[in-house]
Amino acid sequence: MSDALPPQVPAPAPVAPASGGGFFQNLIDVYFSPREAFARIVRNPRFLVPLVAYVILVLGFTGVWMQRMDPVEFIKTQIEESGQADRIPAEQRGAIIEQQAKMMPIFAWVFGPLGIAVTLLGISVVLMLVYRFFYASEVIFRQAFAIVTWVFFAVGLVTTPLLLLVLQLKGDWNINPQEAIQANLGLLLDKSTAAKPLWALLSSLDVFSLWMIFLLAGGFGVASRKTTGSAIWGVAVPWAIIVLIKVGWAAIF
């Protein structure tokens, strides 16, 4: 008499690959559940859509700003605030201002997108190297670029409307856009009388920069399998070095 055949165990159902998340799902989760969003982004690092959206966002702001600001007045104000006005002979000042004002559209429309590309690529490469060498992770460039692109787009989607609103409420479109939103410790000082190095330091300690550091730390923390608290030093230290360079530059010039 033969042994009874063992009962057949049904084969496990195939596991469907985890979804990479849609554009809007990832965007919303970057704001409210960043590690969940970055888990999907790292798993499926697509960056083309947020990159194009970010470029369109920046160019949209540029178009509105360029239509309403006065290039001559803007350049004049920047030269005066930088302290370089006294170094330019009075008879040459007007011609220099006019020349720089004519170059502004070229810098805005041509070098603007190039600046975005260089900035995102540079930050992605630096942070990828930091997490690969100092955290012994296996972060690849595609993942790093996707994280950086999503963070810049998500933060820009908040800051750009705020910037336009501030400029509209102030009624002065000749303000430097980088200084229009006073969300930093520079509020404690008067720029015209404060020491340049101190102003450079305090104006760098702004809410949106800290928010961006937190989001980048969350993204690279997921990519390197670290907690956000552990990964934050990989972003904060390079940022602090940039701030120190900025302060040193202000002290020299």
Side-chain angles (χ1 to χ4, degrees), residues 79-80 82-90 93:
I79 290 177
E80 291 176 351
S82 66
Q84 297 180 0
D86 296 336
R87 303 176 186 177
I88 302 175
R93 195 174 304 162

Side-chain angles (χ1 to χ4, degrees), residues 77-218:
T77 301
Q78 296 309 302
I79 290 177
E80 291 176 351
E81 291 184 354
S82 66
Q84 297 180 0
D86 296 336
R87 303 176 186 177
I88 302 175
E91 64 275 9
Q92 299 179 8
R93 195 174 304 162
I96 292 175
I97 291 174
E98 290 285 347
Q99 183 179 9
Q100 293 187 9
K102 291 179 181 178
M103 295 293 293
M104 278 200 66
I106 298 177
F107 279 97
W109 295 110
V110 177
F111 292 100
L114 289 177
I116 293 173
V118 171
T119 299
L120 296 181
L121 287 171
I123 292 174
S124 300
V125 170
V126 169
L127 293 182
M128 179 191 70
L129 295 176
V130 167
Y131 283 93
R132 285 183 70 92
F133 288 102
F134 293 97
Y135 284 80
S137 69
E138 297 181 356
V139 181
I140 62 175
F141 174 76
R142 188 179 182 88
Q143 293 172 328
F145 193 62
I147 292 169
V148 171
T149 302
W150 271 105
V151 169
F152 270 72
F153 172 61
V155 174
L157 200 58
V158 173
T159 57
T160 301
L162 285 176
L163 182 54
L164 291 172
L165 179 61
V166 168
L167 292 173
Q168 179 65 35
L169 292 177
K170 288 186 175 181
D172 185 2
W173 291 83
N174 297 318
I175 300 174
N176 188 337
Q178 296 180 352
E179 300 176 357
I181 301 179
Q182 294 293 320
N184 54 63
L185 295 181
L187 286 170
L188 304 175
L189 302 175
D190 182 354
K191 184 179 179 181
S192 60
T193 59
K196 289 183 179 180
L198 182 60
W199 172 264
L201 174 62
L202 295 184
S203 62
S204 298
L205 303 176
D206 68 280
V207 172
F208 295 107
S209 293
L210 298 178
W211 181 28
M212 188 173 290
I213 290 172
F214 171 77
L215 291 178
L216 288 171

Side-chain angles (χ1 to χ4, degrees), residues 12-107:
V15 178
S19 170
F23 173 78
F24 291 105
Q25 180 184 3
N26 285 340
L27 179 61
I28 291 172
D29 283 348
V30 166
Y31 293 125
F32 300 104
S33 302
R35 287 190 70 94
E36 294 181 15
F38 288 122
R40 294 192 299 268
I41 292 169
V42 168
R43 186 168 55 242
N44 189 13
R46 298 178 180 176
F47 53 78
L48 183 60
V49 175
L51 175 61
V52 172
Y54 181 56
V55 171
I56 292 174
L57 182 68
V58 173
L59 293 180
F61 169 79
T62 300
V64 174
W65 183 59
M66 291 293 293
Q67 286 183 349
R68 301 192 178 190
M69 56 89 70
D70 182 346
V72 174
E73 188 63 29
F74 176 80
I75 295 297
K76 180 181 177 182
T77 301
Q78 296 309 302
I79 290 177
E80 291 176 351
E81 291 184 354
S82 66
Q84 297 180 0
D86 296 336
R87 303 176 186 177
I88 302 175
E91 64 275 9
Q92 299 179 8
R93 195 174 304 162
I96 292 175
I97 291 174
E98 290 285 347
Q99 183 179 9
Q100 293 187 9
K102 291 179 181 178
M103 295 293 293
M104 278 200 66
I106 298 177
F107 279 97

